[in-house]
Amino acid sequence: MDSREEPGAASAAAGEDEEEAEAEKGPASSDSDSDNEAGASGETEMDFLRNLLSRTLGLGSEKPEKVLDELTLDGVSRFMLSERCKKVVCMVGAGISTAAGIPDFRSPGTGLYANLQQYNLPYPEAIFEISYFKQHPEPFFALARELYPGQFKPTVCHYFMRLLKEKGMLLRCYTQNIDTLERVAGLDQDDLVEAHGTFFTSHCIHSGCKKAYTLEWMKEKIFSSLIPKCEKCQSVVKPDIVFFGENLPSRFFSLMQSDFRNVDLLIIMGTSLQVQPFASLVSRVPTNTPRLLINKEKTGESDPFMSLMGYGCGMDFDSEKAYRDVAWLGDCDEGCLALAELLGWKTELEELVEKEHAAIDAKSGGASASHPLTKEQKEKPSPKKEKPPDSKE
């Protein structure tokens, strides 16, 4: 399933990525998560406030330096091919999985929340609220049956990150998705921070039990139209995806400290950057680190109020002060193909997609959804400028 940036578990899969729930309702915006974030860094309360004000007001000794020769996709590609770019962090949301057939959260008419009437919910987000799930697990598992991991193939975006890994450039992928497609594409657990959890493992929800279960065990129960019950205590078993009302994984808070201090390039794909604290990661990179957004619309731009709260993204694409942020607007797969072509990787990427999709078909007997590269995608040259589409991610 695909974690659309919603509840942290809400990838329509059930896998931030184009997708999400109101920040104030999600687990990320809770006071406890803010405390976890501060505590994980080992900062004292005064240090945390000092650093927060420094980032918010632009104070400190680090002076912005323009490291891109131009604020375009071409400029980013030249930087990636230079000796200065060795560590890349990717931040991804539901938008990178829509090409696989998994809906995002909020697109009018096609988004997950627009198509939940059949479950008779009090409101759409209830299907991913832990309190509602404990009382009424049936709607979630009915949806899970439709959008279960293993029925979809990774997209061009997923395999572009695989190429980054193979070329020794991928420091980490931070994903809001729970569809497990990053793993299917060849990223290992060490390569990933599944910020909103994953369908890969499951646990009994009883606090005194917490027995673990595998993906295959959960799949068997779901496709038997059974509510998964713990074999030990008979409580409901829930996939390890983050529902509204639950904390994010500790791995998110521990790794972000080192990863975002040491990154040379941040690539953000298929996310509206509306769910916290995931969205705030954008502001954690050094002031000299370039940031590339590949998305259907510009997002993550400065919001003074959210900055004061410590959640500002601070992206600046168009002002006179812009010096490091680049937005490529359009379909995420096409954006990755355009960047791959500029890097000289396009043929390699296309061949990787075709080979891996063929392997998945052979293993599954062709049962999984197939979304091969179209002739137009293969032949389309790198666009110099993209106009933003009418619909959101």
Side-chain angles (χ1 to χ4, degrees):
M1 306 193 145
D2 143 27
S3 119
R4 281 42 231 317
E5 319 159 36
E6 278 295 294
S11 133
E16 259 83 320
D17 246 279
E18 293 195 15
E19 47 283 7
E20 54 292 12
E22 301 300 331
E24 62 270 19
K25 296 188 72 174
S29 61
S30 69
D31 291 340
S32 62
D33 282 328
S34 298
D35 293 341
N36 286 342
E37 182 178 349
S41 67
E43 295 173 321
T44 65
E45 183 175 353
M46 186 57 68
D47 288 335
F48 176 72
L49 291 173
R50 185 182 298 113
N51 291 335
L52 171 60
L53 287 173
S54 177
R55 291 198 306 269
T56 302
L57 301 177
L59 304 177
S61 59
E62 198 174 11
K63 294 182 179 180
E65 171 194 358
K66 186 175 180 179
V67 298
L68 300 179
D69 55 34
E70 63 177 23
L71 298 180
T72 63
L73 198 65
D74 299 72
V76 172
S77 69
R78 287 190 289 273
F79 176 71
M80 291 180 69
L81 293 171
S82 74
E83 287 298 314
R84 299 191 64 177
C85 185
K86 297 181 179 179
K87 298 176 182 177
V88 178
V89 167
C90 293
M91 289 175 58
V92 300
I96 74 164
S97 293
T98 53
I102 303 172
D104 62 19
F105 281 104
R106 296 189 176 279
S107 290
T110 62
L112 176 65
Y113 285 156
N115 294 282
L116 293 179
Q117 300 89 341
Q118 59 182 308
Y119 301 117
N120 299 315
L121 300 166
Y123 45 89
E125 292 85 354
I127 200 167
F128 294 116
E129 288 186 352
I130 189 62
S131 58
Y132 186 84
F133 173 83
K134 288 178 177 179
Q135 298 298 319
H136 306 283
E138 297 84 3
F140 170 79
F141 286 112
L143 177 64
R145 194 155 50 246
E146 293 183 38
L147 298 168
Y148 199 79
Q151 302 184 85
F152 304 95
K153 295 177 184 174
T155 66
V156 172
C157 290
H158 294 97
Y159 289 114
F160 180 78
M161 294 189 290
R162 160 86 172 269
L163 267 189
L164 286 174
K165 173 185 176 177
E166 291 181 353
K167 294 179 182 298
M169 298 178 70
L170 182 68
L171 176 59
R172 206 87 61 196
C173 168
Y174 283 71
T175 178
Q176 292 174 284
N177 298 336
I178 58 173
D179 51 25
T180 74
L181 289 182
E182 295 89 0
R183 292 175 183 254
V184 177
L187 299 190
D188 298 325
Q189 182 169 338
D190 188 57
D191 302 319
L192 292 168
V193 172
E194 293 161 317
H196 292 169
T198 178
F199 231 91
F200 198 70
T201 55
S202 302
H203 284 82
C204 171
I205 65 172
H206 192 284
S207 59
C209 180
K210 297 292 185 180
K211 180 176 172 62
Y213 292 90
T214 66
L215 181 68
E216 287 305 313
W217 182 92
M218 177 61 72
K219 180 178 180 179
E220 180 183 353
K221 300 298 181 184
I222 288 177
F223 282 94
S224 299
S225 298
L226 299 173
I227 301 301
K229 294 293 184 68
C230 179
E231 297 170 352
K232 183 177 179 181
C233 71
Q234 293 303 303
S235 296
V236 174
V237 177
K238 184 182 79 68
D240 292 338
I241 57 179
V242 181
F243 276 51
F244 294 118
E246 295 186 303
N247 293 326
L248 271 66
S250 59
R251 178 177 173 82
F252 173 86
F253 296 104
S254 60
L255 282 180
M256 74 177 184
Q257 304 300 330
S258 58
D259 286 350
F260 283 81
R261 280 198 301 265
N262 298 313
V263 59
D264 299 317
L265 172 67
L266 180 64
I267 300 179
I268 306 142
M269 299 188 287
T271 170
S272 61
L273 293 176
Q274 292 185 19
V275 175
Q276 299 294 350
F278 186 89
S280 67
L281 295 178
V282 172
S283 66
R284 287 186 165 270
V285 300
T287 59
N288 296 330
T289 299
R291 301 179 292 193
L292 169 64
L293 173 71
I294 298 176
N295 200 45
K296 286 189 175 181
E297 64 181 5
K298 291 179 182 177
T299 188
E301 295 174 277
S302 296
D303 182 318
F305 176 74
M306 292 302 288
S307 292
L308 283 174
M309 297 299 292
Y311 289 134
C313 294
M315 303 279 278
D316 181 2
F317 304 110
D318 305 309
S319 81
E320 294 180 356
K321 296 181 179 180
Y323 70 99
R324 62 165 172 168
D325 295 329
V326 176
W328 190 98
L329 302 183
D331 177 82
C332 289
D333 279 359
E334 292 187 6
C336 285
L337 285 169
L339 179 55
E341 184 171 16
L342 292 169
L343 293 166
W345 303 352
K346 187 178 181 183
T347 299
E348 189 177 357
L349 178 57
E350 291 172 345
E351 291 176 349
L352 178 62
V353 173
E354 298 289 350
K355 181 188 73 173
E356 292 296 318
H357 280 190
I360 292 172
D361 283 340
K363 185 176 181 180
S364 65
S368 59
S370 178
H371 298 273
L373 292 174
T374 64
K375 181 179 179 182
E376 291 75 15
Q377 283 180 314
K378 291 181 180 180
E379 297 178 350
K380 186 174 181 179
S382 299
K384 296 302 180 183
K385 186 175 181 180
E386 290 282 336
K387 292 183 180 179
D390 294 331
S391 63
K392 295 187 177 181
E393 42 184 299

